Amino acid sequence: MRLTKRVTAIAAASMMAVSLAGCSGGSNETTAAATTAATEATTTAAATEAATTAAATEAAKEAATTAAAATGSVDVSDKKVGISIYKFDDNFMTLYRTELVRYLTEDLGFKAENVVVQDGKGDQAEQTNQIQNFITQKYDVLILNLVQASSASEVTDMCKDAGIPVVYINREPDASEEERWASEGIAATYVGCDARQSGTFQGEEILETETKGDINGDGKVSYIMIQGDPENVDAQYRTEFSVKALTDAGVEVEELLLQRGDWDQAKAQQIAQDALNQHGDKIEVIFCNNDAMALGALQAIEAAGRTVNEDIYLVGVDALTEAVQNVIDGKQTGTVFNDHFAQAQTAGDIAVKLLSGEAVDPVNMVDYTKVTQENAQAILDQLK
Ligand code: BGC
């Protein structure tokens, strides 16, 4: 059993509890504790009040519930978790969902047959149907990576009306929607990362290079930006904050191209190829909102006979194994670890809290980590 690989500042407390529980038997242990409390309650009730068996049983049940609530835990062995991923065909979300299922079943004690993962296929209408089916089939908690984060209010209302708590992951709903959960006491929450941080790290990686990104010494950094799906706040923030890190440091920039690559390697390869044909040596930096697209850009860079870290810089986000290896090999300037372990584990922990009726914060953020040649090997070791 693999326990928490990294502990981030935000997730530390809750994950620590789970790691400890995991070492000593996890949810079984909690159930055992609740049973002991229930037994004690039965004895006390019988002895002091000579209560009827029925009353004692009732007290035992109550004690069990109290004990479970006090430890913030619940017996999950018959609880059903419905998960929907915006699309299966996404490198990062594939790592994420693999860890999520592993953590729920191996560490938290959900039965494998009670953890069902659906492919949203990039189609919100289809995904909304899947969610409706989960609700009809009385799933106990939902973990949702929405196709369109803007659908969160509709989906939240569906879940709220059915009394089913929901954990949104990866694609952050609007702040106004998150505030509504808090103000109306709705059992909904978001687990993710603050994408501004990842954008800033990308910009810093360029500033940390020998030429600060200005390879040709003309006094400005000329770049192309290959964006993820622009509906996604991760794409918006990474685009904005990577460049902002440069301008905040007083560096002049020139945007040669901004184009959406929808998080997709093949699309990014095509965009980079066309841009390299059009702008040639003028391009000093290729910013990619994720590593899948950085891998595509690298194919185009190599095909154009350019050399990363010598005559062009390339940065991504996620820390896909292949991209981290490229950082080590000097074929990608840097990336940013989008910690799918910590995010998946936090989502699982919060799902359990919601199942036990605990109140949770509306927003739960996990830290990113900058990945450069200095720490890339250590990050790669964590990923394996
Ligand atoms: C990741 C991307 C992924 C996207 C999916 C982002 O946080 O960096 O690789 O495609 O989430 O929503």
Side-chain angles (χ1 to χ4, degrees), residues 86 90 92-93 170-171 232 234 238 263 290 318 338:
Y86 92 99
D90 177 294
F92 174 72
M93 286 314 302
N170 174 256
R171 295 187 155 195
N232 192 185
D234 285 7
R238 288 175 194 165
W263 307 118
N290 77 348
D318 280 343
N338 190 2

Side-chain angles (χ1 to χ4, degrees), residues 6 8 10 92 96 168-172 178 190-198 232-235 237-238 317-318 336-344 346 363-369:
R6 291 183 65 249
T8 66
I10 310 283
F92 174 72
Y96 194 134
Y168 292 106
I169 56 168
N170 174 256
R171 295 187 155 195
E172 187 171 7
E178 293 169 339
Y190 174 70
V191 175
C193 296
D194 183 346
R196 287 172 285 204
Q197 187 185 38
S198 53
N232 192 185
V233 76
D234 285 7
Y237 277 154
R238 288 175 194 165
V317 175
D318 280 343
V336 179
F337 183 25
N338 190 2
D339 193 339
H340 58 278
F341 296 114
Q343 288 174 76
T346 304
V363 179
N364 307 271
M365 292 299 197
V366 164
D367 273 331
Y368 284 104
T369 307

Side-chain angles (χ1 to χ4, degrees), residues 224-237:
I224 68 165
M225 177 72 65
I226 308 184
Q227 247 199 324
D229 173 356
E231 214 239 30
N232 192 185
V233 76
D234 285 7
Q236 296 161 14
Y237 277 154

Side-chain angles (χ1 to χ4, degrees), residues 167 189-191 345-355 360 364:
V167 182
T189 185
Y190 174 70
V191 175
Q345 292 171 15
T346 304
D349 292 344
I350 286 182
V352 172
K353 283 189 181 171
L354 288 170
L355 281 173
V360 301
N364 307 271

Side-chain angles (χ1 to χ4, degrees), residues 2-129:
R2 180 174 56 202
L3 292 175
T4 308
K5 286 212 151 200
R6 291 183 65 249
V7 178
T8 66
I10 310 283
S14 57
M15 286 201 301
M16 184 92 73
V18 169
S19 299
L20 293 173
C23 294
S24 57
S27 56
N28 288 338
E29 180 127 317
T30 309
T31 311
T35 311
T36 310
T39 311
E40 274 168 14
T42 308
T43 315
T44 314
T48 56
E49 295 175 24
T52 59
T53 313
T57 309
E58 206 44 49
K61 267 193 207 154
E62 261 175 45
T65 312
T66 313
T71 55
S73 197
V74 65
D75 181 2
V76 301
S77 59
D78 63 348
K79 299 287 187 221
K80 295 199 287 182
V81 189
I83 301 169
S84 181
I85 300 298
Y86 92 99
K87 65 171 182 174
F88 277 6
D89 182 19
D90 177 294
N91 311 40
F92 174 72
M93 286 314 302
T94 300
L95 297 173
Y96 194 134
R97 85 180 133 97
T98 305
E99 173 61 12
L100 184 58
V101 171
R102 185 205 66 76
Y103 187 67
L104 288 167
T105 54
E106 288 181 24
D107 290 5
L108 294 184
F110 288 89
K111 287 200 188 110
E113 64 268 31
N114 287 341
V115 176
V116 173
V117 192
Q118 298 273 9
D119 179 359
K121 297 184 185 148
D123 179 341
Q124 187 57 60
E126 164 130 14
Q127 189 182 47
T128 303
N129 271 338

Side-chain angles (χ1 to χ4, degrees), residues 287-326:
F287 284 109
C288 296
N289 282 173
N290 77 348
D291 277 345
M293 298 193 295
L295 294 174
L298 178 61
Q299 290 171 292
I301 287 170
E302 289 180 335
R306 302 280 295 272
T307 310
V308 171
N309 290 346
E310 282 182 26
D311 58 31
I312 194 162
Y313 296 119
L314 172 67
V315 287
V317 175
D318 280 343
L320 297 182
T321 309
E322 216 178 327
V324 178
Q325 187 61 54
N326 285 340

